[in-house]
């Protein structure tokens, strides 16, 4: 993958960081704004009530249903409104703004759907089994999909924002030029990575906006009215050249990216509507090229008629006058009243350029004109064209020196004509045996026309030359005339000889051809069918004679009488040939569709058709037509039955043997055993249906046997290869069916959707799964084995038949064996590879679960230690109440922590039910608390009794003092 080149400097990185910070600070504000605009209305109900209470009130249910219907309508309207939104400006930055607004709108709506009140309403309506919930789910799914699209598009476009800003606000065209290739690389990256920009529907409008921005910047930078007023002409030339570079770089970068993508072998081609992307930029580039050419001419004039020329010639005033005329050449550019970059003004701009070029060519200095003439006549391509130019300048008012110099070019024109005659002679010599003709020309008449065309090419110029007195006095004139006469005689002789050979050959061969039949046969090159193929042996020769006759007569030639007679019968002859062609075409069409088994099975019918076709003359056209039609009908019936067989095989391929059960309405996942049992139940139903379809295949083949042989035995010898063909097709279909199902199961196992749940229990001293990991693995792998072994229900056919094999005894074994497709399916390498992949993925899943279980070992002291012994040792130390309280608080904290633990945890496709484990650990902690309480009770009770005794003794010893204090 070619990633965008270049990088940001430190200042640019800091600026981008600040922009990102401001964007993140404003996101919540935008969400609030969009939430106010598209807020979901909540009913005026007490939503603090329980779900069951809300369900018990029909009026409440009706209000909530109306509320959900309003949500569904509102979400649909928001999506449609956002999809209809269009950018508010023609540049690429408007595209970023558009997708940001769309993303903000749908994100605000999505956030509202996560409110607790909304979720509670949906839960009530789900339990009320309202159909509107399913409709809303579809709409929410569409909203989620569109939200993902908006977020992705905004994120990808955001990566190009810096380039877009440089295009729109760059200091000069040089900055824009530096950003085009990195921008195109970024477009390539987006096109290859983004799911939504991998088509022209999205990429072309974006690139069209970029092209618009480039063209606008060029139009702003190049002002024709002030361009030629630059004091420094080189600076103006550089400005125009840089503008053209920008436009050319835009197009060349596009093709460079396409070449890079083709080298990578990417499955989608980088090919878009070039007219939309480059029509305006190409035209503007051509205008820039025109301006560049004008500036170049002006600069060349300035350099030529400069100070050096003034110093050498001493004609400063004359040179200044010439330069004044040169300066006036640009006046039309400064006075134009239209925008030259507007493609609708193309003709007006071309007129201005053409006027300028004409002024330069006609009004230039004599020396420049003479130099131009010399250079032009040194590179002549056509003497005729050069002569026309010479004659044109002869009548144009110009300086005498230019006219005299032109008249001296007659020798160059005659020399060029001699070269042309030599070239024509070389062409004639090289191609006269096989001239190049158009596909509509006949060989003889076409060769004569070709010779006449060559003669005309050398005849017309010499006739024009002989009419010009200034050319007659040249020494090259006699040489040119001699060359012409020599080649003209050769062409005339060639024409005569070609006609005479055809005339003699036609008179000799035509009577013999008319006595032969039109239809002949030959052996096919196809090793499978090894049958007769019919061709038309000589009708093309006769048609050739007819065509030659029709073409030679207009050329003024006579033709043999019999050839003329055949030409008059052309319509009848063509009708006979066309009828035979149709019959043979229909025959070959059926034959080409037959397999080797068909040829063996239909040999008698093919022989009967060939017998009728062997006549091949018009009297037997009707019999041949009837034979071919009968054969076509037979094959049509066979094809219809084969199509029905193919449909049953396709049903096998598409069958779901490992159908993943959907969760019930309460979203309670089944246990792994229940999960596998459901798969097995569906598999049994599907296999039973497929077995009946398989039995129907044998019946359909028997129907084909009845059509071909009028028997229904299912064991015709001539159809043995045909039976074998369909048995192989059945095996291929079963292999595809099993492979597709195992691969689908493997994909589901590697997905993120939970399929079944497994209990996690405490089996002191370990925390284990119930059922065990090994049992879970065995259950899943048993599903794979059952899928493959379901092919045991499909019994193989007996050799050379379409009848199922009965159970047979193999060797000395007492048990009977039924031959099925199962062993062949098991041996298929892809199925074994897929089964191995399922095994490895299940092992990885269970290993991931095992890595999570040690998380609970932090509480292992509760069940590994003997609480009675530990508490007795603690109590023997006669600890204080504070120490008891510390321990009780610790155990209570464990219980509170357990209550906060989630009861379910998803590990890829396995949902772990932690509720049994949490309950067991909590009860264990409670037993520790009870045990500690018992040990605390005894010393506390003793201390209480001792205190009571002390108070009693004190009361009896000092009762009066006690009463006084009271």
């Amino acid at each position: 993958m070619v990633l965008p080149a270049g990088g940001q400097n430190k200042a640019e990185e800091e600026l981008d960081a600040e922009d990102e910070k401001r964007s993140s600070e404003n996101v919540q504000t935008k969400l609030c704004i969009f939430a106010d605009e598209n807020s979901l209305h909540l009913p005026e109900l007490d939503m603090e009530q329980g779900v069951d209470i809300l369900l018990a009130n029909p009026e409440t249910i009706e209000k909530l249903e109306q509320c959900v219907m309003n949500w569904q309508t509102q979400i649909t309207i928001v999506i449609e409104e956002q999809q209809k939104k269009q950018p508010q400006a023609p540049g690429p930055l408007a595209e970023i703004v558009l997708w940001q607004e769309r993303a903000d709108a749908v994100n605000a709506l999505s956030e509202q759907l996560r409110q607790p009140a909304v979720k509670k309403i949906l839960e009530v309506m789900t339990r009320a089994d309202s159909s509107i919930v399913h409709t809303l789910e579809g709409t929410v799914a569409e909203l989620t999909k569109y939200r993902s699209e908006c977020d992705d598009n905004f994120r990808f476009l955001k990566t190009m924002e810096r380039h877009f800003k440089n295009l729109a606000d760059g200091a000069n065209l040089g900055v824009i030029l530096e950003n085009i290739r990195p921008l195109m690389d970024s477009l390539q990256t987006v096109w290859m990575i983004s799911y939504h920009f991998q088509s022209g529907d999205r990429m072309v409008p974006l690139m069209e906006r970029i092209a618009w921005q480039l063209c606008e910047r060029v139009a702003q930078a190049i002002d024709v009215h002030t361009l030629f007023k630059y004091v420094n002409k080189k600076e103006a030339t550089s400005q125009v050249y840089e503008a053209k570079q920008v436009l050319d770089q835009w197009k060349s970068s596009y093709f460079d990216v396409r070449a890079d993508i083709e080298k990578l072998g990417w499955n989608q081609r980088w090919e878009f509507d070039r007219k939309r992307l480059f029509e305006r930029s190409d035209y503007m580039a051509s205008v820039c090229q025109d301006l560049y050419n004008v500036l170049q001419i002006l600069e060349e004039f300035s350099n030529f008629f400069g100070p050096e020329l003034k110093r050498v010639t001493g004609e400063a005033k004359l040179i200044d006058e010439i330069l004044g005329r040169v300066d006036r050449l640009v006046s039309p550019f400064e006075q134009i009243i239209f925008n030259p970059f507007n493609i609708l003004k193309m003709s007006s701009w071309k007129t201005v350029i053409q006027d300028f070029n004409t002024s330069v060519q006609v009004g230039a200095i004599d020396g420049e004109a003479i130099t131009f003439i010399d250079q032009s006549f040194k590179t002549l391509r056509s003497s005729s064209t050069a002569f026309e130019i010479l004659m044109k300048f002869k009548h144009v008012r110009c300086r005498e020196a230019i006219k005299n110099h032109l008249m001296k070019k007659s020798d160059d024109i005659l020399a060029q004509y001699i070269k042309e005659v030599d070239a024509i002679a070389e062409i004639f010599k090289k191609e006269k045996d096989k001239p190049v003709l158009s596909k509509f020309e006949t060989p003889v008449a076409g060769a004569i026309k070709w010779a006449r065309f060559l003669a005309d090419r050398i005849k017309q110029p010499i006739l024009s030359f002989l009419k010009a007195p200034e050319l007659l006095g040249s020494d090259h004139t006699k040489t040119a005339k001699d060359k012409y006469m020599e080649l003209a005689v050769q062409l005339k002789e060639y024409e005569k000889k070609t006609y005479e050979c055809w005339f003699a050959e036609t008179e000799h061969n035509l009577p013999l051809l008319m006595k032969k039949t039109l239809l002949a046969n030959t052996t096919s090159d196809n090793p499978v069918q090894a049958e007769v193929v019919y061709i038309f042996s000589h009708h093309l020769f006769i048609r050739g004679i007819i065509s030659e006759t029709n073409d030679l007569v207009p050329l003024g030639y006579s033709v043999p009488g019999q050839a003329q007679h055949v030409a008059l019968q052309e319509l009848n002859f063509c009708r006979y040939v066309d009828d035979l062609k149709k019959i043979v075409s229909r025959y070959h069409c059926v034959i080409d569709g037959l397999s080797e088994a068909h040829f063996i099975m239909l040999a008698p019918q093919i022989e009967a058709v060939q017998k009728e076709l062997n006549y091949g003359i018009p009297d037997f056209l009707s019999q041949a037509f009837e034979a071919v039609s009968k054969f076509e009908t037979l094959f049509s019936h066979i094809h219809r039955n084969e199509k029905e067989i193919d449909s049953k095989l396709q049903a096998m391929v598409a069958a779901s043997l490992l159908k993943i059960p959907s969760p019930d309405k309460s979203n309670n996942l089944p246990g792994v055993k229940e999960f596998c049992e459901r798969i097995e139940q569906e598999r049994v139903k599907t296999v039973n249906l497929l077995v009946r379809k398989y039995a129907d295949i044998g019946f359909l083949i028997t129907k084909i046997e009845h059509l071909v042989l009028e028997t229904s035995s299912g064991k015709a010898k001539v159809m043995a290869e045909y039976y074998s063909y369909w048995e192989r097709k059945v095996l291929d279909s079963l292999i595809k069916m099993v492979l597709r199902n195992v691969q689908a199961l493997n994909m589901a196992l590697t997905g993120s959707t939970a399929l079944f749940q497994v209990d996690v229990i405490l089996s002191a001293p370990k925390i284990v799964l119930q059922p065990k990991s090994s049992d879970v693995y065995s259950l899943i792998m048993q599903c794979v084995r059952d899928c493959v072994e379901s092919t045991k229900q499909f019994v193989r056919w007996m050799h050379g038949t379409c009848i199922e094999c009965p159970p047979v005894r193999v060797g000395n074994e007492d048990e009977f064996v039924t031959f099925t497709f199962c062993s062949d399916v098991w041996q298929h390498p892809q199925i074994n590879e897929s089964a191995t992949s399922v095994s490895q993925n299940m092992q990885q899943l269970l290993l991931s679960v095992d890595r999570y279980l040690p998380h609970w070992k932090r509480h292992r002291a509760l069940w590994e230690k003997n609480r009675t012994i530990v508490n007795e040792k603690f109590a023997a130390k006669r600890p204080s109440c504070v120490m008891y309280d510390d321990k009780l608080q610790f155990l209570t904290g464990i219980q509170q922590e357990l209550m906060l633990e989630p009861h379910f945890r998803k590990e890829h496709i396995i949902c772990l039910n932690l509720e049994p484990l949490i309950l067991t650990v909590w009860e264990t902690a409670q037993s520790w608390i009870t045990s500690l309480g018992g040990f605390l009770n005894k010393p506390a009770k003793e201390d209480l009794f001792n205190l009571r005794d002390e108070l009693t003794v004190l009361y009896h010893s000092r009762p009066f003092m006690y009463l006084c204090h009271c």
Side-chain angles (χ1 to χ4, degrees):
M1 183 181 297
V2 181
L3 295 177
Q8 294 177 317
N9 55 35
K10 184 176 181 181
E12 290 174 332
E13 290 177 353
E14 292 176 355
L15 181 60
D16 289 345
E18 291 179 2
D19 290 342
E20 184 177 355
K21 182 178 179 181
R22 286 195 297 270
S23 177
S24 62
E25 290 173 351
N26 294 333
V27 68
Q28 294 298 329
T29 304
K30 292 180 179 179
L31 288 176
C32 293
I33 293 173
F34 280 102
D36 292 337
E37 293 177 352
N38 301 309
S39 59
L40 298 177
H41 173 71
L42 295 176
E44 296 180 357
L45 297 172
D46 183 9
M47 298 308 299
E48 297 297 329
Q49 303 178 75
V51 174
D52 294 331
I53 297 174
L54 294 172
L55 283 170
N57 191 339
E59 184 178 354
T60 301
I61 295 296
E62 184 178 353
K63 289 183 179 180
L64 294 181
E65 185 172 10
Q66 182 62 42
C67 176
V68 173
M69 291 175 62
N70 293 338
W71 293 349
Q72 193 272 335
T73 302
Q74 185 175 357
I75 294 172
T76 303
I77 292 173
V78 169
I79 294 175
E80 291 176 353
E81 288 178 349
Q82 294 303 318
Q83 291 175 341
K84 291 178 182 178
K85 275 190 176 181
Q86 296 296 326
Q88 299 301 309
L93 285 171
E95 192 76 10
I96 298 179
V97 174
L98 173 66
W99 285 108
Q100 184 176 11
E101 290 177 356
R102 287 175 172 173
D104 292 338
V106 295
N107 281 329
L109 202 56
S110 298
E111 290 298 326
Q112 293 181 68
L113 290 172
R114 298 177 182 173
Q115 296 177 10
V118 174
K119 291 182 177 180
K120 191 167 188 178
I121 291 173
L122 293 178
E123 181 182 359
V124 172
M125 297 311 299
T126 301
R127 292 184 57 180
D129 199 18
S130 176
S131 59
I132 189 61
V133 175
H134 300 290
T135 304
L136 180 63
E137 288 175 352
T139 305
V140 171
E142 183 181 356
L143 176 65
T144 304
K145 179 180 178 182
Y146 189 61
R147 175 186 182 180
S148 175
E149 178 182 357
C150 294
D151 290 340
D152 286 348
N153 290 348
F154 174 65
R155 185 173 66 254
F156 282 111
L157 290 172
K158 193 70 175 177
T159 62
M160 297 181 285
E161 185 178 20
R162 177 172 60 89
H163 299 303
F164 292 163
K165 288 182 177 179
N166 287 333
L167 295 186
D169 305 319
N172 51 52
L173 295 177
V175 175
I176 297 175
L177 185 62
E178 292 175 356
N179 275 269
I180 291 176
R181 183 53 201 248
L183 172 59
M184 189 62 74
D185 290 337
S186 299
L187 287 172
Q188 176 191 348
T189 303
V190 171
W191 183 75
M192 298 177 72
I193 296 177
S194 172
Y195 287 106
H196 308 290
F197 274 92
Q198 289 184 349
S199 68
D201 295 337
R202 283 280 170 76
M203 187 59 72
V204 170
L206 178 60
M207 296 178 70
E208 196 174 11
R209 290 176 174 277
I210 296 172
W212 177 90
Q213 188 70 71
L214 291 172
C215 293
E216 286 298 307
R217 289 304 305 275
V218 169
Q220 294 170 8
I222 307 299
D223 185 1
V224 179
H225 298 90
T226 60
L227 182 66
F228 299 100
K229 296 181 180 179
Y230 275 71
V231 176
N232 187 349
K233 292 293 189 294
K234 289 185 177 180
E235 183 179 347
T237 304
S238 175
Q239 181 81 354
V240 174
Y241 179 76
E242 198 170 44
K244 186 177 185 301
Q245 272 190 313
V246 168
L247 299 171
D248 291 341
Q249 178 71 10
W250 163 242
K251 189 171 185 178
S252 63
S253 298
Y254 168 86
F255 287 105
D256 291 342
V257 169
R258 187 178 71 170
D260 293 340
I261 291 175
E262 289 178 353
K263 288 180 182 179
L264 293 173
W266 197 253
N267 55 356
Q268 294 189 17
R269 295 196 64 200
W270 178 267
E271 188 62 44
F272 306 115
D273 189 345
R274 298 183 190 176
K275 182 177 181 181
R276 294 175 62 183
L277 299 182
F278 306 113
E279 182 181 29
R280 186 186 177 192
S281 61
D282 285 349
Y283 171 70
M284 293 183 67
S286 69
V287 173
C288 290
Q289 183 64 54
D290 293 337
L291 293 173
Y292 180 78
N293 293 339
V294 171
L295 290 169
Q296 284 288 92
I297 292 172
L298 296 178
E299 184 178 354
E300 290 170 1
F301 280 152
S302 299
N303 293 336
F304 184 78
F305 300 108
E308 289 293 328
L309 187 61
K310 291 181 181 179
R311 184 176 60 81
V312 172
T313 61
E315 298 289 342
K317 183 178 179 180
L318 179 61
I319 292 176
D320 288 338
E321 291 176 357
I322 295 173
L323 289 176
R325 291 198 300 272
V326 171
D327 291 336
R328 286 193 292 273
L329 291 176
V330 300
S331 296
F333 295 96
E334 297 173 347
Q335 297 172 0
I336 59 175
I337 59 175
F338 61 90
N339 180 10
F341 291 122
N342 187 350
I343 195 170
L344 299 178
K345 300 294 182 179
M346 181 188 299
S347 58
S348 300
W349 174 252
K350 285 186 177 179
T351 301
V352 174
I353 292 297
Q354 290 173 357
D355 292 343
F356 172 82
N357 292 332
T358 303
S359 301
V360 170
Q361 293 171 2
V362 176
I365 306 171
D366 292 346
E368 289 292 331
I370 291 172
T371 302
F372 169 76
I373 293 170
D374 290 339
Q375 293 176 348
S376 299
F377 277 86
K378 285 180 182 179
T379 58
L380 289 176
R381 293 186 178 180
S382 169
S383 60
S384 179
T385 304
F387 181 73
E388 290 178 4
I389 295 174
L390 185 65
M391 292 298 100
K392 183 184 297 183
F393 275 98
K394 181 179 179 181
H395 302 288
V396 173
R397 293 182 60 186
C398 61
R399 295 178 63 82
E400 193 65 27
I402 298 175
K403 186 178 294 185
N404 293 336
H405 193 77
L406 282 172
M407 294 303 104
K408 294 178 183 179
K409 294 301 176 181
S410 58
D411 289 344
D412 292 339
I413 293 174
L414 291 172
Q416 176 63 25
Y417 174 73
I418 293 172
K419 292 179 182 179
E420 291 174 0
V421 174
D422 290 339
I424 296 295
E426 184 65 26
I427 292 173
F428 172 71
K429 180 180 178 181
K430 184 178 179 181
E431 300 182 5
K432 64 180 180 178
D433 295 329
K434 192 176 181 181
V436 179
L437 308 176
S438 68
K439 63 180 181 179
F440 301 107
E441 291 182 325
T442 55
V444 176
I448 293 174
K449 292 178 182 178
W450 173 72
R452 290 185 178 182
F453 169 73
L454 295 180
D456 288 340
R457 285 185 62 181
I458 61 174
K459 181 180 180 180
Q460 294 301 326
I462 194 68
L463 292 178
S464 300
F465 298 160
L466 294 177
K467 294 178 182 179
E470 55 270 19
L471 295 181
L472 296 177
S474 174
D475 294 337
H476 290 78
T477 304
K478 185 177 184 305
T479 305
K481 290 173 63 177
D482 293 341
K483 288 276 187 180
Y484 165 73
M485 291 302 298
E486 180 182 358
L487 181 57
V489 170
Q490 292 179 11
L491 291 171
K492 194 66 178 178
E493 288 294 327
Y494 171 80
E495 183 179 339
K496 181 180 178 182
K497 183 179 179 181
T498 301
Y499 164 73
E500 290 175 349
C501 290
W502 175 83
F503 190 93
E505 184 180 353
T506 302
E507 276 194 327
H508 178 266
N509 293 333
L510 185 57
L512 301 176
L513 292 175
M514 295 300 294
K515 295 179 182 180
K516 294 183 178 180
T517 59
L518 289 174
L519 201 60
N521 56 58
T522 182
T523 303
S524 170
D525 294 333
N526 189 344
V528 175
Q529 66 185 54
E531 289 294 333
V532 172
V533 175
Y534 291 93
I535 62 172
F536 291 86
S537 58
H538 63 277
H539 80 286
L540 293 178
F541 297 104
I542 298 177
R543 280 197 168 180
I545 292 173
I546 294 173
S547 299
E548 292 287 3
T549 300
N550 294 333
D551 289 347
L552 286 173
V553 170
L555 294 176
Y557 290 98
S558 60
V559 296
Q562 191 170 10
Q564 190 171 5
H565 176 72
V566 170
L568 294 174
Q569 298 294 323
E570 180 180 5
L571 294 178
N572 292 332
F573 175 78
C574 292
R575 186 172 68 252
Y576 293 146
V577 171
D578 289 341
D579 289 343
L580 282 174
K581 277 187 174 181
K582 290 177 183 178
I583 294 173
V584 172
S585 176
R586 291 173 61 183
Y587 169 75
H588 285 161
C589 183
V590 178
I591 289 296
D592 292 342
L594 301 182
S595 64
E596 184 178 3
H598 285 137
F599 272 101
I600 298 172
M601 179 176 67
L602 299 174
Q605 288 79 3
I606 295 174
E607 184 178 357
V609 176
Q610 290 175 353
K611 183 177 180 181
E612 295 294 338
L613 290 177
N614 283 337
Y615 293 103
I617 57 178
D619 294 339
F620 294 93
L621 284 176
S622 60
Q623 291 143 340
F625 180 81
E626 183 180 354
V628 172
S629 297
K630 184 178 179 181
F631 187 60
E632 275 184 332
T633 303
L634 173 61
F635 183 71
S636 176
H637 289 306
I638 294 173
H639 181 70
R640 186 159 55 247
N641 284 281
E642 288 180 343
K643 190 175 180 181
E644 190 172 350
I645 295 174
D646 278 328
S647 68
K648 296 183 182 299
L649 293 179
Q650 288 301 319
M652 285 186 183
V653 175
S656 296
L657 301 183
L658 294 173
K659 185 177 181 181
I660 304 299
S662 302
D664 55 19
K665 295 181 179 179
S666 60
N667 291 325
N668 291 331
L669 293 174
V672 63
K673 291 183 179 179
E674 183 183 354
F675 174 77
C676 294
E677 287 173 358
R678 292 183 185 177
I679 291 178
E680 176 63 14
Q681 291 171 359
E682 292 295 329
R683 185 190 67 79
V684 171
K685 292 179 184 178
T686 304
V687 170
N688 290 336
L689 179 61
L690 293 179
V691 168
R692 290 196 293 271
K693 290 182 179 291
Y694 173 64
D696 292 340
I697 292 175
F699 173 72
L700 291 171
I701 294 176
T702 305
K703 285 178 64 177
I704 294 174
E705 178 189 342
H706 182 74
L707 289 171
V708 177
L709 305 175
E710 296 184 354
T711 63
S712 302
S713 62
K715 53 183 178 181
K717 292 183 179 181
V718 74
M719 295 184 66
E721 181 62 28
Y722 191 71
Y723 299 145
S724 178
Y725 166 79
W726 283 111
E727 191 172 18
R728 290 193 299 270
K729 293 275 284 186
V730 171
L731 176 59
D732 291 342
S733 300
L734 291 175
I735 290 174
K736 290 178 182 178
M737 174 186 72
V738 173
L739 182 60
R740 188 182 63 80
N741 279 276
V742 175
Q743 289 176 345
L745 177 63
N746 191 27
M747 186 176 296
L749 293 177
T750 57
S752 59
T753 303
L755 303 179
F756 55 83
Q757 68 177 8
V758 179
D759 294 339
V760 182
I761 63 171
L762 174 61
S763 179
K766 296 181 179 180
I767 298 173
V768 296
L769 300 179
Q770 188 180 26
K772 298 178 181 178
S773 297
S774 58
D775 295 337
V776 174
Y777 173 81
S778 299
L779 288 169
I780 297 299
M781 293 309 298
Q782 184 61 43
C783 290
V784 177
R785 284 190 291 273
D786 290 341
C787 176
V788 179
E789 292 181 357
S790 63
T791 55
K792 288 182 178 180
Q793 302 295 322
F794 301 89
V795 182
R796 299 295 295 259
W797 294 340
M798 290 188 291
H799 181 68
T801 73
C802 62
I803 303 172
E804 294 184 0
C805 292
V808 296
R809 181 177 294 165
V810 180
N812 296 325
E813 299 292 334
D814 293 335
E815 296 183 357
F816 285 87
V817 177
T818 300
F819 292 100
T820 66
F821 291 96
C822 185
S823 58
D824 299 283
V825 173
W826 264 123
Q827 293 173 5
H828 197 272
Q830 283 185 291
I831 291 178
N832 281 295
E833 182 181 345
S834 298
T836 303
S837 179
V838 172
S839 174
Q840 292 173 350
N841 288 331
M842 277 306 301
Q843 290 174 0
Q844 290 293 329
L845 286 172
L846 294 172
L847 183 60
S848 174
V849 173
D850 290 340
R851 291 195 188 103
Y852 165 71
L853 295 182
H855 165 73
W856 291 88
K857 289 186 177 180
R858 65 186 188 277
H859 302 306
R860 63 179 177 270
L862 295 176
W863 58 80
E864 287 183 351
K865 294 182 179 181
N866 191 314
R867 62 177 177 273
T868 303
I869 296 175
V870 172
N871 288 340
E872 285 179 351
K873 290 181 178 180
F874 176 73
K877 298 177 182 179
R878 300 193 62 79
S880 64
C881 291
V882 174
M883 297 175 68
Y884 271 105
D885 184 63
D886 288 342
K887 281 189 171 291
L888 292 173
Q889 288 292 340
F890 172 73
L891 293 171
T892 303
I894 291 177
Q895 287 183 319
Q896 292 175 349
E897 181 182 347
L898 290 172
M899 296 304 294
L900 296 176
E901 287 283 353
H903 287 196
F904 294 93
R905 177 182 177 85
K906 187 168 78 71
E907 289 288 337
H908 301 288
I909 65 160
I910 301 176
C911 180
L912 298 178
N913 182 13
L914 302 172
E915 189 171 357
L917 175 63
I918 293 173
L919 181 60
T920 303
V921 176
W922 190 90
E923 291 176 348
T924 304
Q926 184 63 36
S927 65
W928 277 84
I929 293 173
T930 303
S931 177
L932 273 175
F935 282 105
L936 174 61
N937 181 57
K938 184 177 180 181
K941 192 174 182 180
E942 290 177 356
D943 292 341
L944 181 61
F945 288 157
N946 291 334
L947 178 59
R948 183 194 63 184
D949 294 340
E950 290 178 4
L951 292 175
T952 303
V953 171
L954 182 61
Y955 174 75
H956 289 293
S957 61
R958 297 179 179 178
F960 178 75
M961 185 180 294
Y962 177 76
L963 290 172
C964 290
H965 282 292
C966 291

